[in-house]
Amino acid sequence: METTLRGVGVSHGVAIGEVRHMGTAVLEPPAKQIPAEDAEREQGRARQAVDAVAADLMARGNLAGGEAQAVLEAQAMMAQDPELMADVDRRIAVGSTAERAVYDAFAAYRELLAGAGEYLAGRVADLDDVRNRIVARLLGVPMPGVPDSDQPYVLVARDLAPADTALLDPSLVLGFVTEEGGPTSHSAILARALGVPAVVALPGAGELAEGTVIAVDGSTGDIFVNLSEEKKAELEAAAAARKAALAASTGPGATADGHKVPLLANVGGPADVPAAVEAGAEGVGLFRTEFLFLDDSKNAPSEAKQVEAYRQVLEAFPEGRVVVRVLDAGADKPLDFLTPADEPNPALGVRGLRTLLDHPEILRTQLTALAKAAEGLPVYLEVMAPMVADRQDAKAFADACREAGLQAKFGAMVEIPSAALRARSILQEVEFLSLGTNDLAQYTFAADRQVGAVSRLQDPWQPALLDLVALSAEAAKAEGKSCGVCGEAASDPLLACVLTGLGVTSLSMGSASIPYVRATLAKYTLAQCERAAAAARAADSAEEARSAAQAVLSGE
Ligand code: PEP
Ligand code: MG
């Protein structure tokens, strides 16, 4: 029977495909005793699971080729290591279940490796992966991590962390559905970066059966399960019509009466640039540099590696504007070697600019790499700091930029309410503001952006958030400086009109949203946007603000 579930739509479009679950970390199997007569059967189960996992790793290695093949083959050999297998058999013979015996035998081997010099210690993660695969197979639960599928699928997960998503093959992911997360979570941001439809905060997402065909409508938040052929055809036709209408709208961002609002792209690195160029982005409004830091859990990337990545992005917009955000580590983007592990409230702890001021060498390397990357290019480089709380923060960042000899405009992100309230004071130190509405909502409403249950409060239509946007934009205007939005609020076409009406001077978003925002903005004059903004601010809830703005713009 066709059923419809409703979550929060966070990335436009419709995806139809089979459900594949992101496997969670394997739990420790219970240490229960089995009768002696079951031992042989359990040993058989263990051997079968080991052989199946080894064969699967070999097959994936063949498909991947190159360096990945060598790693996967080494893992397959680990799985079938005769000593490990003998240990598994011994443990089963004295009463362990197959899954518990595998778990314990690998734990003993792991300890041996961990203490056996740097090279072998580095293999511990591979060994853990092999163990998790075997135990998952024995328990009959999904394999941990990204699904092993060579067919396109809709990824269903509890939530997605940046480290998980780094392993995704974007050509296979049709869309996302997550149980947790709000409109500003990393799942939402990643879906927009990949240009795939996504729905987050869907209670019960974990219960969607593996392999079921579902349709994900990322605009409405609807999930259709077991959909009929008619429904499928209807959704596909609507998606195609929408795509054609968008393709007809091109050129720089502007209102109907020609008030220019540059439409910029949010990128995580050079890989996101082609989509930005294709969407007609007028530059980059947020380069989230922390993605360069995810490859190595122990060290920052070298200056040379950073120069190369920055240069690739800068070169893609020779005459355009590129706003690079220095490393924003901590809270939802922890880095092992920088983020304190014992903070009771990481979102309120040492993160963003605070981390960099505690580790000035990391900031210095990043700024020096940026200066080198921009050398000789005509690009209009801007560099900004995340999580600026006050003028003192802004000054410390501007001083570091000057010391590194950076020829760029220095800016501050407005992500903490104090920065919006005292925007004029911050603008004494920097040349522009960029509103990070994701964190600004999190801190204004005391609502963790990773928690689906409070997604109501992360809604950027909340009038209190609109008030803080207005305060920042007014302060920038009074100082003759610019104030953009680079949080996810900019990717909502109707809200983009309201932000423009509030005085925001540029909008930066995941590339896939640019055509939607461009087409909507072009329909209304600046005066209409201003009236819509005033109506939204006069409302008492996000829902009312949205309806009030919609009513003004549609002339009701
Ligand atoms: C924000 O907080 O709005 C923002 C743009 O930064 P991030 O989402 O990377 O924290
Ligand atoms: Mg932020």
Side-chain angles (χ1 to χ4, degrees):
M1 201 190 47
E2 184 173 312
T3 41
T4 308
L5 308 171
R6 171 68 60 89
V8 179
V10 293
S11 179
H12 302 292
V14 172
I16 303 177
E18 286 190 10
V19 167
R20 293 273 176 281
H21 284 272
M22 179 97 178
T24 45
V26 168
L27 301 174
E28 185 177 337
K32 65 175 190 245
Q33 281 285 316
I34 54 162
E37 63 269 26
D38 288 351
E40 207 171 312
R41 198 196 61 212
E42 287 297 284
Q43 285 165 342
R45 276 182 69 227
R47 209 156 307 122
Q48 254 179 6
V50 163
D51 290 347
V53 166
D56 175 57
L57 289 167
M58 293 296 280
R60 291 204 297 130
N62 272 336
L63 266 181
E67 226 173 279
Q69 180 166 15
V71 173
L72 290 164
E73 285 179 1
Q75 279 193 298
M77 282 171 66
M78 269 181 194
Q80 289 177 307
D81 181 280
E83 273 187 42
L84 248 172
M85 273 323 290
D87 192 16
V88 169
D89 279 346
R90 253 192 318 274
R91 289 172 191 271
I92 294 176
V94 295
S96 270
T97 58
E99 45 272 24
R100 183 71 206 192
V102 168
Y103 189 86
D104 288 339
F106 272 74
Y109 194 45
R110 185 185 201 283
E111 243 169 66
L112 218 80
L113 275 192
E118 204 175 316
Y119 175 76
L120 286 179
R123 306 272 65 79
V124 162
D126 294 348
L127 186 75
D128 286 348
D129 181 53
V130 173
R131 178 203 62 190
N132 291 345
R133 286 171 180 280
I134 303 172
V135 173
R137 183 169 279 273
L138 285 164
L139 292 173
V141 298
M143 288 291 161
V146 171
D148 299 339
S149 172
D150 48 11
Q151 296 302 317
Y153 56 85
V154 175
L155 182 67
V156 180
R158 190 168 172 74
D159 200 1
L160 294 169
D164 301 327
T165 51
L167 300 171
L168 281 178
D169 175 349
S171 66
L172 294 177
V173 182
L174 299 168
F176 290 168
V177 178
T178 65
E179 184 148 358
E180 286 290 338
T184 61
S185 62
H186 277 281
S187 308
I189 293 171
L190 183 84
R192 289 190 201 111
L194 293 177
V196 297
V199 170
V200 300
L202 180 78
E207 276 126 55
L208 287 167
E210 186 87 358
T212 315
V213 174
I214 61 169
V216 180
D217 186 334
S219 303
T220 60
D222 286 338
I223 306 283
F224 303 96
V225 187
N226 297 323
L227 67 168
S228 62
E229 281 306 314
E230 291 82 29
K231 186 78 204 171
K232 195 171 163 193
E234 183 194 313
L235 287 170
E236 281 170 348
R242 186 106 207 242
K243 222 172 168 178
L246 291 175
S249 160
T250 53
T255 56
D257 55 336
H259 170 73
K260 288 202 171 1
V261 188
L263 302 180
L264 309 167
N266 289 356
V267 302
D272 294 337
V273 165
V277 173
E278 201 190 321
E282 296 163 59
V284 168
L286 169 62
F287 179 175
R288 289 186 163 97
T289 57
E290 46 282 359
F291 285 91
L292 302 173
F293 286 69
L294 291 177
D295 286 350
D296 182 341
S297 61
K298 295 204 184 71
N299 305 294
S302 67
E303 184 185 294
K305 191 173 167 200
Q306 292 190 46
V307 172
E308 195 185 320
Y310 301 149
R311 194 156 176 105
Q312 283 180 48
V313 176
L314 296 178
E315 276 174 347
F317 295 96
E319 305 295 319
R321 168 170 166 203
V322 175
V323 187
V324 179
R325 172 175 75 191
V326 292
L327 178 66
D328 183 21
D332 53 336
K333 291 167 273 194
L335 284 181
D336 284 354
F337 64 100
L338 287 180
T339 309
D342 52 356
E343 290 181 331
N345 291 302
L348 304 182
V350 180
R351 62 161 298 195
L353 178 64
R354 302 166 187 181
T355 305
L356 293 174
L357 296 179
D358 275 3
H359 296 268
E361 71 293 351
I362 303 263
L363 180 58
R364 206 174 311 119
T365 306
Q366 208 177 6
L367 295 173
T368 311
L370 272 168
K372 289 190 179 166
E375 242 166 45
L377 295 180
V379 68
Y380 175 28
L381 176 64
E382 301 188 5
V383 181
M384 64 183 182
M387 298 290 294
V388 171
D390 60 5
R391 182 170 176 175
Q392 188 178 323
D393 273 355
K395 179 171 186 322
F397 176 64
D399 284 345
C401 291
R402 278 187 285 267
E403 274 162 33
L406 197 55
Q407 299 294 320
K409 273 191 170 186
F410 318 138
M413 287 187 75
V414 177
E415 304 190 277
I416 306 177
S418 61
L421 292 167
R422 302 301 305 248
R424 280 196 84 162
S425 134
I426 286 174
L427 282 164
Q428 304 313 305
E429 304 294 342
V430 293
E431 291 161 272
F432 69 94
L433 298 179
S434 181
L435 284 146
T437 48
N438 310 335
D439 276 313
L440 190 56
Q442 158 162 274
Y443 296 117
T444 302
F445 297 101
D448 190 324
R449 61 194 272 193
Q450 299 186 91
V451 176
V454 292
S455 66
R456 176 182 84 77
L457 296 167
Q458 292 140 6
D459 189 330
W461 280 95
Q462 284 279 359
L465 188 74
L466 300 180
D467 285 349
L468 292 175
V469 171
L471 265 183
S472 310
E474 282 158 14
K477 189 169 179 198
E479 293 293 330
K481 296 181 175 175
S482 62
C483 175
V485 169
C486 67
E488 299 306 305
S491 65
D492 172 337
L494 190 62
L495 186 51
C497 298
V498 166
L499 296 172
T500 301
L502 292 173
V504 159
T505 53
S506 64
L507 297 165
S508 190
M509 65 206 84
S511 298
S513 301
I514 291 178
Y516 292 87
V517 170
R518 182 193 289 120
T520 308
L521 199 58
K523 289 205 278 191
Y524 307 108
T525 62
L526 177 59
Q528 282 177 300
C529 293
E530 285 170 349
R531 281 201 297 278
R537 277 185 79 187
D540 279 323
S541 71
E543 212 37 58
E544 274 178 34
R546 194 183 284 112
S547 315
Q550 181 75 69
V552 169
L553 292 179
S554 54
E556 281 166 21

